[in-house]
């Protein structure tokens, strides 16, 4: 298993004004994050418009979708938007795509799309990747995968993989998913493994109650049971845990909830000092 350099992303998607959104992008860049990621929901900003605005006010920060619901757009539409963002950002765009988030049918219906069967969504995802790969400047491709079909597609096509597992998933369960992925891919050493950090807090009692809306349960209970999405403790403990996850599971790319961007920044900075090589 090749040990990759760390990369760090910020997941954000809401702002009250354009100035606030621009400030978020600039601040992510200032703090040393590599990528600004935006979800694809009707409760957040439109991904392509928001990422274009972020690209316009930054110089080195990469931008990406986390992740597009493939039923929401045709592959040609995604390729058009991707080509435009690659131009606007000077090649800093990363395309994240998946077969549709849980309960995503309502968004697809509101946008006039057809949710389709799991097989149809898998084919739409594959067609979307192929359309993006055919561009003059193809983007790095992230695939969100959990079911066998999407795992196989990710094994064949993805540059980055995130496993669509429940918020209560433990590190051991993540490691098993990574091992299963490596078992089905002849190019696993070429693929980054990404995991989201829902919250970083000094104790489980410091986790805000509003997180329950994001994770669909009690975040304190999840964190107490060892859920990987919650990093609990100080920066030194977090650094130790991320190093362990990379060594044991191959997870080198971490995307933190934007509301914890400032809190998590010392972890990013300490790992940069410990490993000053450029991100892969």
């Amino acid at each position: 298993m090749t040990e990759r350099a760390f990369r760090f992303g910020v997941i954000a998607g809401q702002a009250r004004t354009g100035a606030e959104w621009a400030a978020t992008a600039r601040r992510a860049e200032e703090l040393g994050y590599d990528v600004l990621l935006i979800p694809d929901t009707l409760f957040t900003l439109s991904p392509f418009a928001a990422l274009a605005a972020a690209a316009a006010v930054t110089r080195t920060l990469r931008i990406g979708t986390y992740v597009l619901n493939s039923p929401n757009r045709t592959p040609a539409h995604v390729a058009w938007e991707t080509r435009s963002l690659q131009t606007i950002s000077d090649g800093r765009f990363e395309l994240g795509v998946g077969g549709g988030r849980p309960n995503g049918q309502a968004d697809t219906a509101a946008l006039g799309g057809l949710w389709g069967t799991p097989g149809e969504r898998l084919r739409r995802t594959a067609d979307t990747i192929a359309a993006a790969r055919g561009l003059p400047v193809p983007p790095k491709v992230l695939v969100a995968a959990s079911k066998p079909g999407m795992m196989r597609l990710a094994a064949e096509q993805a540059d980055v993989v995130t496993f669509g597992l429940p918020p209560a998933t433990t590190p051991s369960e993540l490691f098993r998913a990574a091992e299963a992925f490596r078992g089905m891919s002849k190019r696993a050493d070429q693929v980054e493994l990404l995991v989201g950090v829902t919250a970083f807090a000094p104790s489980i009692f410091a986790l805000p109650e509003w997180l329950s809306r994001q994770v669909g349960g009690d975040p304190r209970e999840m964190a107490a049971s060892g859920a990987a999405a919650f990093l609990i403790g100080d920066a030194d403990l977090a650094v130790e845990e991320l190093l362990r996850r990379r060594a044991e599971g191959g997870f080198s790319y971490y995307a933190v909830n934007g509301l914890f961007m400032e809190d998590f920044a010392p972890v990013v900075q300490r790992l940069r000092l410990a490993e000053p090589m450029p991100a892969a």
Side-chain angles (χ1 to χ4, degrees), residues 75-254:
H77 184 177
V78 175
W80 173 42
E81 298 280 12
T82 297
R83 187 184 70 223
S84 300
L85 269 180
Q86 282 288 69
T87 300
I88 290 168
S89 70
D90 295 320
R92 288 184 280 147
F93 176 61
E94 301 188 8
L95 174 65
V97 64
R101 64 182 177 84
N103 303 315
Q105 299 98 317
D107 284 3
T108 300
L111 292 169
L114 178 64
W115 183 252
T117 66
E120 289 168 338
R121 296 199 302 276
L122 177 62
R123 286 192 292 275
R124 173 65 68 90
T125 304
D127 290 345
T128 299
I129 294 171
R133 293 285 196 208
L135 294 172
V137 184
K140 181 176 285 192
V141 173
L142 158 68
V143 174
S146 58
K147 299 293 193 288
M150 197 66 74
M151 290 279 278
R152 286 192 292 271
L153 177 64
E156 296 169 0
Q157 295 291 331
D159 301 300
V160 185
V161 172
T162 188
F163 301 117
L165 299 172
T169 298
T170 65
S172 295
E173 291 167 332
L174 279 177
F175 298 164
R176 286 196 290 272
E179 190 61 30
F181 174 76
R182 282 189 284 270
M184 63 175 61
S185 176
K186 297 179 180 179
R187 48 185 292 279
D189 282 349
Q190 302 171 36
V191 181
E192 274 183 303
L193 299 185
L194 181 157
V195 63
V197 178
T198 300
F200 174 51
S203 75
I204 62 172
F205 304 105
L207 292 170
E209 292 184 3
W210 52 257
L211 279 172
S212 61
R213 297 192 297 273
Q214 292 189 8
V215 300
D218 186 333
R220 295 176 182 178
E221 287 185 5
M222 291 182 185
S225 68
F230 301 91
L231 286 176
I232 305 299
D234 61 15
D236 288 336
L237 284 173
V239 166
E240 182 180 328
E241 176 62 12
L242 297 194
L243 287 168
R244 183 183 77 87
R245 292 184 189 183
R246 184 177 66 173
E248 295 185 22
F251 291 90
S252 60
Y253 183 3
Y254 291 87

